[in-house]
Amino acid sequence: MIELHASPPGPDAPAPHDWRWQLRHAARTVAELERLFELTDDERQGALAAERGGFPLAITPYYASLASPSDPACPIRRQVVPRALEATTVPGDLADPLGEEAHTVAPELIRRYPDRALLLVTDHCAVFCRFCTRSRTVGSGAGARSLERLEPALRWLREHPEVREVIVSGGDPLALATPRLLAVLERLREIPSVEVLRLATRAPVVLPMRVDDELVAGLRRLHPLWVMTHFNHPRELTPESVAACARLADAGLPVMNQTVLLRGINDDAAVLAELFRGLVRARVRPYYLLHADVVRGTGHLRTPLARGIELMRELQGRLSGLALPRLVCDTPGGYGKVPLGPEVVVQRGPGSTTLRTWRGVDVEVIDPPT
Ligand SMILES: *Cc1c(COP(=O)(O)O)cnc(C)c1O
């Protein structure tokens, strides 16, 4: 079904360092999940629902090895093992939380901002995250988009030179075979007005061996290309994932990280501090801390909006500016991202503003005479 699953003939000896082996051995059924985890009834029900249709289940052996087989509260396990609660809809839930269908300007091309657009090159991923923004479409089976399918999007970009940046996403673009991914990126590079490319992928986190020499050698010819990855918990910073980030950084590719704030997974200042500091050591810049999108069936994984603001208040000033991402809420309906933070302007007067510093001391800043 998906090209990456096509396996070479021959005996299937364990080869955990080969990403193709990882994909062939990803857990996709309840039976396979049972071999990895002592499932709770809630998880078994969730996995059965995933197996019967809807948003599927996939966990690479590598990522499963980071999770606890016995503790259902494990922050790695919580991200990828389905739960019965996914069938529950809470007020505010939306199938398409970011109004992407309404902002689709060509097949697979979403444009919500004046100067950048999002191109979805596949609906497949190595691992399906249970909080996925695109669970309505991801894993539906269509897989990699052909160049013919993407042609109208490429034409639209040529006709709209005001779009200077294209974010290549999916699914996970690294679920495409390398030559196929490079072919898409090269077609984008041929459009003179597309100045910057961004590649959004969770492969460094869930399938770090995917970031191999062939891929990196191809990507480094496409500068300026920024890689956006998706670490959510310090336990994901393993020697393998850190080495994957190093291969990207060594090739001159700036690596940025987007963390999704998730209840019971990373909604804790000490956990986030450890994650963000670890990312900076790995030469990855924490870019956004995203308030979780209001995706249908993810209420059990989301925090109140105020929780993120509180966490930023705890981290601001205590953590290096390099390590501190911006807290952002991508607003329901597709109106765009809104930066959030603790209230810092406590008083505005004529010619003067009072700011609250991270220590809690209020300081007056005087404007120059007009
Ligand atoms: C998030 C997003 C972007 C990128 O936003 P930045 O704030 O530039 O990171 C662009 N287009 C769409 C449709 C998005 O959802």
Side-chain angles (χ1 to χ4, degrees):
M1 147 178 111
I2 294 114
E3 63 196 284
L4 292 184
H5 296 209
S7 44
D12 197 18
H17 300 297
D18 178 0
W19 55 265
R20 296 167 192 87
W21 184 92
Q22 288 281 336
L23 289 172
R24 279 201 304 281
H25 291 84
R28 297 170 198 283
T29 64
V30 182
E32 287 162 353
L33 208 59
E34 297 270 17
R35 283 202 281 277
L36 296 169
F37 303 104
E38 294 163 30
L39 294 181
T40 63
D41 288 341
D42 175 52
E43 289 174 323
R44 192 172 301 106
Q45 264 188 56
L48 274 167
E51 201 183 288
R52 281 196 215 107
F55 184 40
L57 144 77
I59 310 174
T60 54
Y62 164 82
Y63 198 67
S65 77
L66 310 185
S68 166
S70 56
D71 178 13
C74 162
I76 304 300
R77 178 163 163 169
R78 278 267 167 94
Q79 292 184 56
V80 291
V81 174
R83 293 177 64 186
L85 286 164
E86 289 182 11
T88 307
T89 302
V90 300
D93 274 13
L94 296 169
D96 178 13
L98 306 181
E100 293 188 332
E101 324 248 285
H103 290 85
T104 296
V105 292
E108 318 301 348
L109 189 68
I110 298 159
R111 195 264 188 114
R112 291 204 272 130
Y113 296 102
D115 73 338
R116 53 215 191 274
L118 185 67
L119 183 68
L120 306 178
V121 296
T122 178
D123 63 22
H124 206 72
C125 290
V127 163
F128 292 121
C129 308
R130 303 324 295 174
F131 48 89
C132 180
T133 290
R134 290 191 197 101
S135 57
R136 70 184 185 282
T137 56
V138 155
S140 63
R145 305 302 193 240
S146 64
L147 280 175
E148 298 81 77
R149 165 86 183 163
L150 297 176
E151 196 50 59
L154 294 165
R155 190 178 333 119
W156 189 94
L157 289 166
R158 275 192 296 272
E159 289 165 0
H160 292 81
E162 67 275 20
V163 172
R164 296 158 183 270
E165 183 178 321
V166 176
I167 300 155
V168 177
S169 186
D172 194 318
L174 295 199
L176 264 64
T178 298
R180 195 155 179 170
L181 172 66
L182 293 177
V184 175
L185 295 172
E186 278 156 14
R187 292 296 301 278
L188 290 166
R189 263 281 156 264
E190 286 166 10
I191 305 172
S193 49
V194 175
E195 298 168 5
V196 173
L197 297 176
R198 263 201 244 184
L199 191 61
T201 174
R202 211 177 179 203
V205 185
V206 297
L207 187 68
M209 50 298 277
R210 175 67 186 88
V211 184
D212 59 11
D213 291 344
E214 183 199 11
L215 177 73
V216 172
L219 295 181
R220 72 183 310 157
R221 290 185 290 105
L222 295 160
H223 288 316
L225 188 156
W226 292 57
V227 178
M228 315 298 289
T229 186
H230 182 20
F231 288 85
N232 284 334
H233 194 277
R235 254 195 243 170
E236 295 167 344
L237 289 163
T238 64
E240 291 89 346
S241 67
V242 168
C245 295
R247 288 193 287 279
L248 295 167
D250 286 347
L253 299 153
V255 187
M256 315 286 271
N257 186 72
Q258 307 193 125
T259 294
V260 176
L261 184 59
L262 295 164
R263 182 156 111 205
I265 292 173
N266 61 11
D267 56 341
D268 177 276
V271 167
L272 290 177
E274 191 185 341
L275 171 64
F276 298 151
R277 288 193 172 119
L279 286 167
V280 173
R281 283 197 303 276
R283 287 182 286 163
V284 177
R285 167 78 162 100
Y287 175 65
Y288 281 159
L289 173 62
L290 290 148
H291 177 68
D293 293 334
V294 291
V295 192
R296 190 175 52 191
T298 63
H300 59 293
L301 291 171
R302 304 201 302 264
T303 67
L305 192 79
R307 183 65 189 134
I309 297 174
E310 214 173 279
L311 287 164
M312 291 304 284
R313 186 185 295 116
E314 290 179 54
L315 295 173
Q316 171 87 42
R318 290 171 184 81
L319 219 58
S320 157
L322 287 179
L324 197 72
R326 187 185 292 180
L327 174 65
V328 161
C329 174
D330 214 342
T331 50
Y335 295 94
K337 296 177 178 76
V338 172
L340 296 164
E343 218 47 73
V344 290
V345 176
V346 291
Q347 207 187 326
R348 274 177 238 265
S352 113
T353 309
T354 304
L355 300 179
R356 178 145 309 159
T357 63
W358 69 274
R359 291 173 194 272
V361 178
D362 293 351
V363 179
E364 192 184 3
V365 182
I366 313 283
D367 291 339
T370 47

